[in-house]
Amino acid sequence: MKFEPSQGGQHTAVDGLFNEYLARLNGEAMASYLETLRTPVWECELMHVALPAVDMISGPALELYRWHFVLFHCLYRQQQVFAERGRYLYIHFMRTCVRDFPAAGCCNEFDSEALEFCAARCSAHEQKCELHAPETDEMALDALSERYFYLDTSNFVALAAENAEKFIGGAWNLLQNHDEYQRCLKILGLPEGVTLDLLKKRFRYLARTLH
């Protein structure tokens, strides 16, 4: 799959720089790899397929952030392509995977821990089962917000070098302490990849109800 250059218009300089990076991504190789994906993969594996010539180890943090952004931008564009084929491309820096959407009349709630759809039978014309229908849709809004972030090419240069260091440093720290991270999220009842805002809301809610 060849990704067309951005035609933002209002951000000519940004689009020009973004398109330089985009031109180096092998979209066809990434699309073929995703089509055959059977188990979850880390971002570094996708980088190796789509951007084999990029130094993801010793490069400057800002450069690493921009390659990460380009990769996720293309993944979210691919997500729509997969959806048109009845498949769901779940995007996460530690466990990107592809799953078939459940059949009509089955719950389409996606469990980001189990990496599977609920698929329980629903009432007519419903997309959620009784268990998931009452739940707030904060997780879905969170995912939508992330999608829009990576599809907006102005965010490609929105991060300063200092913040890029923190972004990359935070990712490495998370990988090194992943077990503890999972334990804390389990206590809070939250999935991985949750935003800081939602984390704070969940903590305040538990503080009010348990104390």
Side-chain angles (χ1 to χ4, degrees):
M1 176 181 182
K2 182 179 180 180
F3 292 98
E4 295 299 326
S6 172
Q7 302 292 335
Q10 296 179 346
H11 308 284
T12 306
V14 172
D15 288 338
L17 180 62
F18 175 78
N19 289 335
E20 287 181 20
Y21 278 73
L22 184 64
R24 293 181 60 186
L25 184 139
N26 190 332
E28 291 184 1
M30 186 177 76
S32 297
Y33 181 72
L34 292 172
E35 287 286 355
T36 60
L37 199 58
R38 295 293 178 265
T39 57
V41 295
W42 292 60
E43 178 178 351
C44 57
E45 295 178 62
L46 293 171
M47 283 285 188
H48 180 70
V49 171
L51 296 159
V54 173
D55 180 5
M56 299 304 299
I57 302 299
S58 59
L62 185 58
E63 186 82 351
L64 296 180
Y65 164 76
R66 288 178 175 172
W67 286 122
H68 159 81
F69 185 94
V70 167
L71 177 71
F72 270 53
H73 172 88
C74 295
L75 284 172
Y76 278 107
R77 288 172 67 175
Q78 276 281 64
Q79 194 176 58
Q80 181 59 40
V81 175
F82 274 84
E84 292 169 357
R85 299 172 185 166
R87 309 193 76 198
Y88 177 55
L89 173 60
Y90 175 70
I91 301 168
H92 188 278
F93 85 102
M94 289 189 292
R95 53 182 192 279
T96 293
C97 64
V98 178
R99 296 289 184 263
D100 291 330
F101 277 111
C106 295
C107 180
N108 67 0
E109 179 75 13
F110 188 77
D111 186 332
S112 59
E113 291 295 320
L115 298 178
E116 295 292 349
F117 286 97
C118 169
R121 296 297 301 177
C122 303
S123 56
H125 310 299
E126 295 291 336
Q127 294 183 317
K128 305 283 185 183
C129 65
E130 291 184 2
L131 176 63
H132 293 116
E135 293 184 355
T136 60
D137 216 19
E138 289 185 19
M139 299 299 183
L141 291 174
D142 191 49
L144 190 62
S145 175
E146 182 170 309
R147 173 182 169 81
Y148 283 135
F149 175 85
Y150 285 106
L151 290 179
D152 183 355
T153 56
S154 65
N155 291 316
F156 176 69
V157 294
L159 204 65
E162 179 182 352
N163 291 331
E165 290 282 357
K166 295 177 181 178
F167 177 87
I168 298 299
W172 280 115
N173 185 58
L174 177 58
L175 294 178
Q176 292 169 346
N177 299 280
H178 188 236
D179 289 343
E180 180 65 13
Y181 170 68
Q182 284 186 315
R183 187 184 72 82
C184 293
L185 288 179
K186 186 175 181 179
I187 292 172
L188 292 171
L190 293 171
E192 290 189 45
V194 66
T195 64
L196 180 60
D197 183 56
L198 191 52
L199 183 63
K200 290 178 178 178
K201 288 179 181 177
R202 181 62 176 168
F203 180 82
R204 287 195 292 267
Y205 169 77
L206 291 176
R208 288 197 306 270
T209 56
L210 300 178
H211 293 281

